[in-house]
């Protein structure tokens, strides 16, 4: 269900005035102006030339401005002379009006904007910030975009769409105050510097002060560093737990476009990877990475947290990179707990040398990967630069299809969707079993109102939390009304629990695959009433769910408690990080609940329903 637009009557008026002042009006204005001039001179000369020469006719035509007697005393039936008279009078008036209309519209917009509330404020002049601003305008939100240096063309395009552009430093409270950030529905800090984005959040807090906001202002803070994202979320969780004076007027929501891209890929393509592993008869879901930039690392972590199937061993990742030692040290430093407890689980990841700038992809490289790690069911190309990703992905596709060596999906990272990806990297469009390209991570998919402001990517996580906290797995499937209610309550869930339930939701596609279902394609009539597994199937999936949960917790930085100790959220220690055999019956029951939750999660995320995989 589409949420209402973020705006009030004043902010809507300001957006409309801004758009009017910067629409394709220049062409219209010149057409009106030149039309009046043609009427004045064309009809004037034609009228006076009948009785006078060229010079006299020109003089009498120009004299229409002065309204001398022959024009002033024109009869009402004298249409030609009246037309010349009024056109002559209108030309200077219309010319002046058009000359100042843009500035007038902007000034009026600024005046109306002083009463703006419930709107969207975006700080940043990069491509994702602009993309989000335009996407919000499509949903008729009132948007104010703050930046320090917009190009003239960019500013004109934005204003033409009704975006109010404010030039200034968004880390300064006075700039945010001019944008009415303290009365906004959402503030999105999209500066390239993570520290600057945190300063913007702090400035919004100072502006709001002790004032009450219901609902609170959502402050979305972009972070490029996965480590900073984790710490920012934990810090916010601690602040929420210490909240003893009622709800805060500011709801901080740190996010990462790389994490969103990774989660969207898992949600959309987990079953593609599982199908590939099944067709190739692989023992585990094995994904090969070419490069391990921030986006690739986010995806690798998401795979370890979500891609657990009862039909395969634990997920496996192989990374090809020019400096495998440095990449391995960085990954293990960021995810230390994923390797510190091998008696529970240790991330199956290996780093192999490959310099794509000094060598080409060929059969020998594929043989090396197969010999050391086995065949993959998917590949990810994410080296840190879009042009390099495109070139490498094309070469990899050719090598994979030579002799049908690796008929797998190849996921190519793009910061911004290119003409190439729209034409060639849009998924599998052939019937035969072969390697194909699929682009992911473009800001056109990640920096959107739907994902950032409406939180669509967390809809399934809200249902997972509701199942876990209310033990809904012991009863019938949730109604759509209950599903919507769970989504609303999600805003009150602590970040500690949000992180765990995000992985539960992302893993729902794997559970549905294990149950024998796939999402209905366009034109297919899917089933939305299928039941959760029971008996031995449920027990096997619950055991696997516990394995997946432990991998998610360890990858996220949690560790087991010492014997006899209880869970401590501040220290990130958990007493349930033990093997399945050591769990109590109540704890095992909660894993069964999360298996059943997959059905409701799938119903919400795939309203077209599901088809039996054998169909």
């Amino acid at each position: 269900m589409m949420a209402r637009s973020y705006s009030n009557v004043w902010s809507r008026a300001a957006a409309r005035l801004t758009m009017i002042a910067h629409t394709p009006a220049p062409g219209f204005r010149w057409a009106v102006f030149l039309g009046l001039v043609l009427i004045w001179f064309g009809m004037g000369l034609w009228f006076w030339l009948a009785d006078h020469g060229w010079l006299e006719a020109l003089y009498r035509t120009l004299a229409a401005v002065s309204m001398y007697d022959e024009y002033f005393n024109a009869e009402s039936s004298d249409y030609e002379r009246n037309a010349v008279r009024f056109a002559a009078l209108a030309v200077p008036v219309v010319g002046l009006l058009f000359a100042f209309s843009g500035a007038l519209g902007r000034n009026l917009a600024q005046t109306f904007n002083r009463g703006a509330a419930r709107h969207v404020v975006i700080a940043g002049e990069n491509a994702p910030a602009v993309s989000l601003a335009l996407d919000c305008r499509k949903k008729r939100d009132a948007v104010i975009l703050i930046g320090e240096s917009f190009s003239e063309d960019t500013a004109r395009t934005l204003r033409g769409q009704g975006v109010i552009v404010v030039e200034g430093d968004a880390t300064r409270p006075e700039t945010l105050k001019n944008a009415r950030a303290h009365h906004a529905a959402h503030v999105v800090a999209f500066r390239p510097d993570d520290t600057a984005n945190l300063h913007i959040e702090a400035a919004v807090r100072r502006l709001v002060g002790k004032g009450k906001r219901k609902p609170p202002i959502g402050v979305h803070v972009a972070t490029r560093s996965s480590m900073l994202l984790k710490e920012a979320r934990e810090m916010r969780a601690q602040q929420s737990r210490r909240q003893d004076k009622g709800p805060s007027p500011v709801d901080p929501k740190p996010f990462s476009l790389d994490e969103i891209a990774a989660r969207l890929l898992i949600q959309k393509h987990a079953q593609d990877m599982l199908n590939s592993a099944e067709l190739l008869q692989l023992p585990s879901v094995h994904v090969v990475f070419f490069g391990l930039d921030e986006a690739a690392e986010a995806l690798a972590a998401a795979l370890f947290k979500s891609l657990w199937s009862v039909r395969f061993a634990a997920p496996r990742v192989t990374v090809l990179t020019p400096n495998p030692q440095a990449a391995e040290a960085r990954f293990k430093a960021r995810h230390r707990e994923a390797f510190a407890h091998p008696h529970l689980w240790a991330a199956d990841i290996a780093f192999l040398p490959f310099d794509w700038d000094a060598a080409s992809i060929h059969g020998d490289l594929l043989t090396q990967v197969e010999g050391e790690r086995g065949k993959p069911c998917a590949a990810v190309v994410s080296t840190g630069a879009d042009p390099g990703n495109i070139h490498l992905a094309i070469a990899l596709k050719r090598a994979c299809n030579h002799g049908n060596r690796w008929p797998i999906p190849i996921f190519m990272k793009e910061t911004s969707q290119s003409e190439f990806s729209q034409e060639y990297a849009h998924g599998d469009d052939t019937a035969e079993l072969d390697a194909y390209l699929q682009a992911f991570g473009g800001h056109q998919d990640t920096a959107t109102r739907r994902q950032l402001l409406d939180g669509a990517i967390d809809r399934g996580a809200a249902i997972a939390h509701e199942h876990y906290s209310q033990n809904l797995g012991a009863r019938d499937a949730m109604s759509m009304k209950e599903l919507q209610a769970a989504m609303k309550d999600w805003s009150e869930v602590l970040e500690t629990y949000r992180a765990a339930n995000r992985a539960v939701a992302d893993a729902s596609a794997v559970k549905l695959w294990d149950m024998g279902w796939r999402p209905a394609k366009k034109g297919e009539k899917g089933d939305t009433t299928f039941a959760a597994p029971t008996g031995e199937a449920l027990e096997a999936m619950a055991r696997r769910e516990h394995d997946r949960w432990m991998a998610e917790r360890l990858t996220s930085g949690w560790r087991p408690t010492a014997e006899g100790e209880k869970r401590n959220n501040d220290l990130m220690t958990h007493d349930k990080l033990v093997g399945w055999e050591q769990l109590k019956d109540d704890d095992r029951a909660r894993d069964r609940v999360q298996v059943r939750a997959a059905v409701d999660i799938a119903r919400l995320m795939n309203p077209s329903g599901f088809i039996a995989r054998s169909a």
Side-chain angles (χ1 to χ4, degrees):
M1 183 173 64
M2 180 60 66
R4 64 179 180 84
S5 63
Y6 298 115
S7 62
N8 69 347
V9 62
W10 299 105
S11 58
R12 285 195 297 271
R16 186 65 180 170
L17 284 167
T18 301
M19 188 164 54
I20 291 174
H22 297 88
T23 46
F28 170 76
R29 293 169 184 169
W30 277 108
V32 173
F33 182 78
L34 292 175
L36 290 171
V37 171
L38 287 174
I39 293 173
W40 176 15
F41 278 88
M43 292 189 65
L45 290 173
W46 175 80
F47 181 80
W48 293 111
L49 276 173
D51 301 314
H52 303 280
W54 276 98
L55 289 177
E56 181 68 15
L58 181 61
Y59 171 77
R60 288 173 178 268
T61 299
L62 291 171
V65 181
S66 65
M67 291 286 290
Y68 81 101
D69 290 348
E70 289 196 54
Y71 284 103
F72 189 80
N73 296 324
E75 299 291 336
S76 59
S77 59
D78 195 351
Y79 301 116
E80 294 87 352
R81 199 180 304 183
N82 278 320
V84 174
R85 176 178 65 171
F86 287 115
L89 293 174
V91 164
V93 175
V94 171
L96 287 172
L97 179 63
F98 284 173
F100 290 101
S101 61
L104 179 63
R106 286 194 296 272
N107 290 333
L108 283 174
Q110 292 173 1
T111 301
F112 277 92
N113 196 54
R114 292 178 181 177
R118 306 300 304 154
H119 56 297
V120 179
V121 176
I122 304 171
E125 58 262 28
N126 49 21
V130 172
S131 179
L132 176 60
L134 295 176
D135 188 53
C136 287
R137 282 301 298 152
K138 290 180 182 178
K139 310 302 186 297
R140 299 188 179 182
D141 298 328
V143 181
I144 299 179
L145 183 60
I146 305 174
E148 296 188 61
S149 56
F150 289 102
S151 69
E152 185 177 343
D153 289 341
T154 300
R156 186 185 303 112
T157 299
L158 288 165
R159 287 170 173 147
Q161 295 297 321
V163 178
I164 298 175
V165 177
V166 175
E167 295 190 2
D169 183 359
T171 61
R172 301 175 65 85
E174 54 267 28
T175 304
L176 290 169
K177 188 174 183 179
N178 290 337
R180 301 277 294 174
H182 52 309
H183 291 285
H186 296 275
V187 177
V188 186
F190 244 140
R191 297 276 292 273
D193 182 356
D194 291 354
T195 305
N197 291 331
L198 292 172
H199 285 322
I200 292 171
E201 180 194 331
V204 173
R205 288 182 182 276
R206 289 196 297 272
L207 276 179
V208 176
K210 297 182 180 180
K212 295 182 179 179
R213 296 290 184 273
K214 189 176 181 180
I217 300 172
V219 182
H220 308 260
V221 180
T223 54
R224 292 172 177 264
S225 167
S226 59
M227 297 296 290
L228 183 60
L229 176 65
K230 184 177 74 172
E231 295 302 332
R233 283 174 168 169
E234 288 301 325
M235 180 174 67
R236 301 302 178 238
Q238 292 177 17
Q239 290 174 344
S240 298
R241 287 195 293 272
R242 293 196 299 264
Q243 196 68 249
D244 56 359
K245 297 182 180 179
S248 170
V250 173
D251 181 15
K253 299 179 179 181
F255 72 94
S256 162
L257 291 183
D258 290 334
E259 181 190 69
I260 292 175
R263 293 187 59 208
L264 285 175
L265 190 152
I266 294 292
Q267 291 179 7
K268 294 179 180 179
H269 302 291
Q271 291 207 356
D272 295 333
M273 291 184 270
L274 293 166
N275 288 334
S276 177
E278 183 179 53
L279 287 169
L280 297 175
Q281 299 181 344
L282 304 182
S284 63
V285 179
H286 177 204
V287 182
V288 172
F289 282 73
F290 288 80
L292 197 71
D293 61 357
E294 292 287 349
E297 184 177 330
L299 180 53
L303 291 172
F304 285 132
K305 295 176 182 180
S306 306
L307 213 59
W308 288 73
S309 165
V310 293
R311 306 192 184 191
F312 299 102
R316 167 175 288 191
V317 169
T318 301
V319 178
L320 300 175
T321 178
N323 191 339
Q325 292 79 16
E328 181 176 8
R330 186 183 71 172
F331 188 87
K332 289 186 174 180
R334 294 184 175 186
H335 304 282
R336 178 185 178 279
E337 302 303 325
F339 303 91
H341 312 279
H343 64 289
L344 297 175
W345 170 78
D348 185 358
I349 184 170
F351 297 82
L352 305 179
F354 176 65
D355 187 349
W356 43 80
D357 290 327
S360 60
I361 295 179
H362 48 77
D364 292 344
L365 179 65
L366 306 190
T367 299
Q368 178 190 358
V369 173
E370 285 183 34
E372 297 188 33
R373 300 286 291 168
K375 269 191 174 184
C377 65
V380 176
V381 179
S382 190
T383 66
D386 286 3
N389 291 342
I390 293 173
H391 172 74
L392 194 58
I394 294 174
L396 179 59
K397 178 184 175 183
R398 291 169 179 162
C400 288
N401 280 327
H402 184 68
N404 204 29
R405 185 69 176 272
W406 286 358
I408 60 175
I410 301 170
F411 299 100
M412 179 188 72
K413 173 67 168 63
E414 275 197 322
T415 305
S416 177
Q417 291 175 0
S418 67
E419 185 178 1
F420 169 83
S421 66
Q422 294 174 14
E423 182 68 23
Y424 299 110
H426 47 72
D428 189 5
D429 52 7
T430 61
E432 62 268 17
L433 182 64
D434 62 350
Y436 62 90
L437 300 185
Q438 174 72 62
F440 79 99
H443 63 73
Q444 293 88 346
D445 294 325
T446 57
T448 64
R449 181 199 203 252
R450 172 179 169 81
Q451 301 301 344
L452 295 183
L453 306 189
D454 297 341
I457 196 170
D458 279 340
R459 291 183 304 168
I463 306 307
H465 177 76
E466 192 74 2
H467 268 269
Y468 188 83
S469 60
Q470 302 297 331
N471 195 27
L472 297 179
R475 42 161 283 187
D476 294 335
M478 298 173 71
S479 67
M480 288 308 296
K481 185 176 181 180
E482 290 173 316
L483 295 177
Q484 296 294 340
M487 291 168 60
K488 293 178 181 178
D489 294 341
W490 174 253
S491 61
E492 301 174 4
V493 177
L494 295 180
E495 184 57 46
T496 299
Y497 306 110
R498 291 189 191 187
N501 285 291
R502 288 183 181 114
V504 172
D506 296 345
S508 64
V510 179
K511 292 182 177 66
L512 266 291
W513 189 88
D514 283 342
M515 295 179 200
W517 297 92
R518 63 169 175 82
K521 299 177 182 178
K522 187 176 181 180
E524 291 182 327
K525 187 177 180 180
D527 187 357
T528 59
T529 60
F530 56 90
T534 58
E536 293 183 3
L538 175 60
E539 197 68 11
M541 292 182 69
R543 181 186 291 266
R544 205 58 170 156
E545 165 60 20
H546 183 67
D547 293 338
R548 186 212 59 77
W549 175 83
M550 286 198 300
E552 183 277 324
R553 292 286 80 182
L554 294 171
T555 303
S556 298
W558 287 71
R559 62 184 186 275
T561 58
E563 187 175 356
E565 292 184 356
K566 295 183 179 180
R567 170 179 177 170
N568 189 313
N569 287 342
D570 292 328
L571 297 178
M572 297 181 69
T573 59
H574 207 299
D575 56 345
K576 300 300 187 297
L577 282 169
V578 295
W580 175 262
E581 289 74 14
Q582 297 172 263
L583 288 177
K584 297 178 181 179
D585 289 340
D586 288 346
D587 297 323
R588 294 185 182 184
R590 290 192 179 276
D591 285 315
R592 298 185 190 102
V593 165
Q594 294 298 46
V595 172
R596 296 189 182 103
V599 174
D600 279 331
I601 294 170
R603 288 173 57 222
L604 184 69
M605 298 175 67
N606 300 275
S608 297
F610 288 79
I611 304 290
R613 289 202 296 118
S614 58

